[in-house]
Each structure stands twice: as structure tokens, then as C-alpha cells.
Amino acid sequence: PLELLQYPLNYQMEILKQLIKRRFSGNGIPDLSIDGMISRKTGKKIYQSLFANLMRKKTGWEGRDIHYDWYLRIERDYKWNILGPDIVHCGVVKGIFRSVTGRFPYHYPEGGFGRIPEKLLEDYENAGGETHYNVGGIRVLVDQGYISGIVIDSEQEIQVDNLVWTGSLNSLLEELKLPLSPLPLKDLYTVYLTFDKPSGWSSDPYIYVYHPDNDVLFTRSYYPSNIYPDRDSDQTGICLEIHKVGTVEEMSTDEVLEQSINDAVKIGLLPGRPRKSLIKRHTESVPLYPMDYEDKIKKTYLSLSRFNNLYSIGKPGSLFYCLARGSVKQGIQVAQNILSSKEE
């Protein structure tokens, strides 16, 4: 409730009006779209002002066509069973602080999240595991309903006891020749810019800032200096996220990078041309939930479940729009299942 105090007065009145309306008009049959659920809580004006265009920039869809579970980031287990919202539990005192200040208890490893897979890779290789990079396409070998191996680099065959797939679900369905329609997976660009700090430079006080307006190409920005405030340096950087939907689909990678830089300078996120720049395209990395997504994932999982030693997990691997924590949980569950079956 205290979060209400952070909004302008006209927004507060609109939210209170919706609260009273829900209290006395009963629940009825809810509209489970993002548009319907948010509008029900905040009113249509606030939804149109803050959320409608952000949804278009992130998905290319209207909010009425996206299931509310996508917004909630509903958790799933490794068998794709829907569990509940992915909520950060922070305790009463921290919860009040979060409500009053708008700050959330995020925790980052020193050196960034990349340190986690680096450490996992180190332990994996120390235990005798092999890692292959830049293998191009991966062919999946099937023998009587069993995944017998994969082929990489067009010729190297690797036998497998189990296949854990974390790549594009659509690529897997195509490789297994399963007669299912492609699932909605969108591409994402991330842009990394470094620059020299001007005198008196101060980055935005919030870790993540969303940009719902059409005046800029990116949907979200964040400064690494907000994650590592104790690092004193004359140089810093900014990260931008651009979803490959709408007009972005017609742009080349170089055009996306150049416009992102210009937009960041235009609104004051960047003091001038960057020292260095890098753009990465993450293919089919953003799953979307149409209103019938539950039926789609059930049919898809049923088709994949005929292969007893196949696990398709993670964001693109199970059409699972989640925080990193959700993917990690699925991975741990798969590892536990494989290890327990070997013990038996």
C-alpha cells in the first residue's frame, strides 16, 4: 500500500477509484490479459500512460493479446508445470523500505552475473567435462524414441545418456521433426557503451530505468556503476536493451547501434560519443505468452516427453519468461533428476 505514495496525486486517485470499484462490484470473470489485469488495478488511463506502449516496444503485441502470467513471470518446474509468481521475498522491514524508497534488494556477485557460469564451467571442466565452442548447428540423433547423440561441426558425433537443451525450442522442434507450429520467441539486442566521466557526472540513481516512449529505441537502460558503486574510475559505461520488434525488425545491427547511441545522448544518459561500443544480438531469447499459451506449452511438452532422456529448459528452451533464478532452479531440478536415476 505504501507504494501508492510514490505516484503523482492524479494516479493515486485513479488507483483508489479502481480499488473501491473492485471492492463493491465483485470479482466476476477476470480478463487475464496484461491490459485487463493492470487496468483493473490501476485504471485504463494509467495503463495507457505507463504500460501500453512499453508492451508494444518489448513484444510487438498489444497488451490485450499477452497473458498476464508473462508480466508476473510465473515460475515453472523442469517439467513445465506452472507453480506461481516469481516473487522476491525480502521480509517485513525490507519490504517497507522497498515500498517507501522504490528500491529492491538485488544482489550481484562481484564481477557480475557472468562469474556464476564461469565458476560452474571451471568446476565442470575440473571434473573432466568437455566444452565445445562455436559449433554451428547441432543435429540431434534419435534411435527408437531415445536421444542417442548429437552431431556438431557437421561431422563430430557425441554420444549422450541425456540431452539437456537450453537453446531455441523452435530449433529443437524442427530438428526432431515434430509437427508443431513455431512458438513466439523474439530477438533481443544488448548494447554496451563506455565513456569518460565528465566533471560532476552522476548516473541515474536507479539500477534499471524503463523507456516506454517512442522517442528512444531502447526499452531499458542501466549503469554498471550502480551495481558496483565502490569502483572509483574516470571511466564508466551504460547498457541498453532493444527488442527486435516493430520498426527495429527492419533495421540492420549497425543501424540499431547508431540510433541507440544517438538516443542515449539525446536524453542525457550518455554525455557524448562513447569511447567503445559493442552490440550483441540474442536470437529467440525472449519468449512471449499469447492468451492460449498454457495449451501451447502442454501440447509441446507432451510431444517432447516421448523422448525419455530429453530435457528442454530455460527461457528459450521451454518458452519460459523468467528471471535468471527461474532458469537456475530448472537446471538444478534436472541435475537432481538425472543423478537420482543413475543411483537407482
Side-chain angles (χ1 to χ4, degrees):
L2 291 176
E3 291 182 9
L4 183 62
L5 301 178
Q6 299 177 48
Y7 293 93
L9 182 59
N10 59 328
Y11 282 12
Q12 293 181 34
M13 298 303 295
E14 187 73 17
I15 293 171
L16 284 172
K17 187 193 304 181
Q18 288 300 118
L19 183 63
I20 295 170
K21 183 178 178 181
R22 293 200 310 274
R23 176 67 179 82
F24 292 101
S25 63
N27 292 323
I29 300 175
D31 176 355
L32 294 178
S33 70
I34 284 181
D35 184 334
M37 294 299 286
I38 295 180
S39 296
R40 183 171 177 267
K41 293 179 178 180
T42 67
K44 200 70 173 178
K45 290 180 182 178
I46 293 180
Y47 174 80
Q48 290 296 335
S49 174
L50 299 180
F51 295 97
N53 206 54
L54 182 63
M55 291 302 106
R56 295 187 196 105
K57 285 181 70 174
K58 287 173 71 72
T59 68
W61 295 2
E62 295 295 329
R64 63 176 176 271
D65 300 321
I66 311 169
H67 199 287
Y68 191 55
D69 285 358
W70 188 85
Y71 180 82
L72 291 179
R73 297 178 187 255
I74 294 291
E75 284 199 15
R76 270 191 250 148
D77 64 17
Y78 77 100
K79 292 184 176 181
W80 302 12
N81 294 309
I82 295 173
L83 304 177
D86 189 356
I87 298 173
V88 177
H89 297 283
C90 56
V92 176
V93 175
K94 287 184 178 179
I96 293 173
F97 175 79
R98 186 181 71 179
S99 296
V100 173
T101 65
R103 297 180 180 275
F104 289 75
Y106 285 109
H107 299 282
Y108 288 86
E110 185 175 353
F113 266 120
R115 290 295 300 139
I116 296 176
E118 285 173 4
K119 186 64 171 66
L120 289 172
L121 177 62
E122 179 184 328
D123 292 345
Y124 168 74
E125 293 184 335
N126 287 340
E130 278 186 40
T131 307
H132 300 265
Y133 298 94
N134 302 316
V135 298
I138 298 175
R139 282 202 300 121
V140 179
L141 304 177
V142 179
D143 183 13
Q144 297 181 346
Y146 186 82
I147 306 297
S148 59
I150 60 172
V151 177
I152 61 174
D153 292 325
S154 301
E155 56 184 27
Q156 184 179 356
E157 183 175 327
I158 301 174
Q159 291 185 331
V160 301
D161 293 326
N162 296 278
L163 176 61
V164 182
W165 183 275
T166 60
S168 164
L169 182 55
N170 287 329
S171 297
L172 178 61
L173 296 176
E174 184 178 353
E175 181 63 30
L176 295 175
K177 297 179 174 56
L178 296 176
L180 296 168
S181 301
L183 296 161
L185 289 162
K186 298 288 186 179
D187 295 359
L188 174 73
Y189 288 109
T190 47
V191 171
Y192 309 91
L193 309 172
T194 61
F195 56 93
D196 295 317
K197 286 183 184 177
S199 177
W201 172 263
S202 177
S203 60
D204 194 285
Y206 297 100
I207 291 181
Y208 296 117
V209 177
Y210 289 88
H211 303 271
D213 49 292
N214 288 323
D215 292 340
V216 297
L217 199 63
F218 41 85
T219 55
R220 187 165 78 164
S221 63
Y222 42 101
Y223 293 97
S225 56
N226 283 338
I227 301 173
Y228 311 111
D230 55 334
R231 294 191 177 182
D232 188 18
S233 172
D234 293 334
Q235 299 172 0
T236 187
I238 187 171
C239 305
L240 309 171
E241 292 181 3
I242 303 98
H243 291 74
K244 197 173 189 301
V245 300
T247 57
V248 182
E249 291 184 294
E250 302 168 6
M251 301 172 67
S252 68
T253 301
D254 289 341
E255 288 172 335
V256 171
L257 175 60
E258 186 63 22
Q259 186 169 334
S260 297
I261 293 172
N262 293 337
D263 288 347
V265 172
K266 178 177 65 177
I267 64 174
L269 297 181
L270 192 65
R273 297 295 300 182
R275 294 177 66 255
K276 292 184 179 180
S277 61
L278 175 69
I279 183 169
K280 288 185 174 291
R281 178 177 173 181
H282 310 275
T283 306
E284 292 195 311
S285 61
V286 182
L288 300 183
Y289 293 177
M291 294 301 294
D292 61 346
Y293 91 98
E294 291 182 73
D295 289 336
K296 288 183 182 296
I297 63 172
K298 285 176 183 176
K299 290 177 182 176
T300 305
Y301 184 81
L302 186 62
S303 295
L304 292 176
S305 62
R306 70 183 70 173
F307 305 101
N308 293 328
N309 63 333
L310 171 62
Y311 304 88
S312 190
I313 59 172
K315 264 185 159 182
S318 57
L319 198 74
F320 182 26
Y321 190 62
C322 60
L323 299 171
R325 182 172 55 250
S327 293
V328 170
K329 286 180 179 178
Q330 282 190 331
I332 292 172
Q333 290 169 357
V334 167
Q336 291 172 334
N337 186 72
I338 292 174
L339 291 173
S340 64
S341 64
K342 286 183 179 293
E343 290 175 357
E344 294 172 359

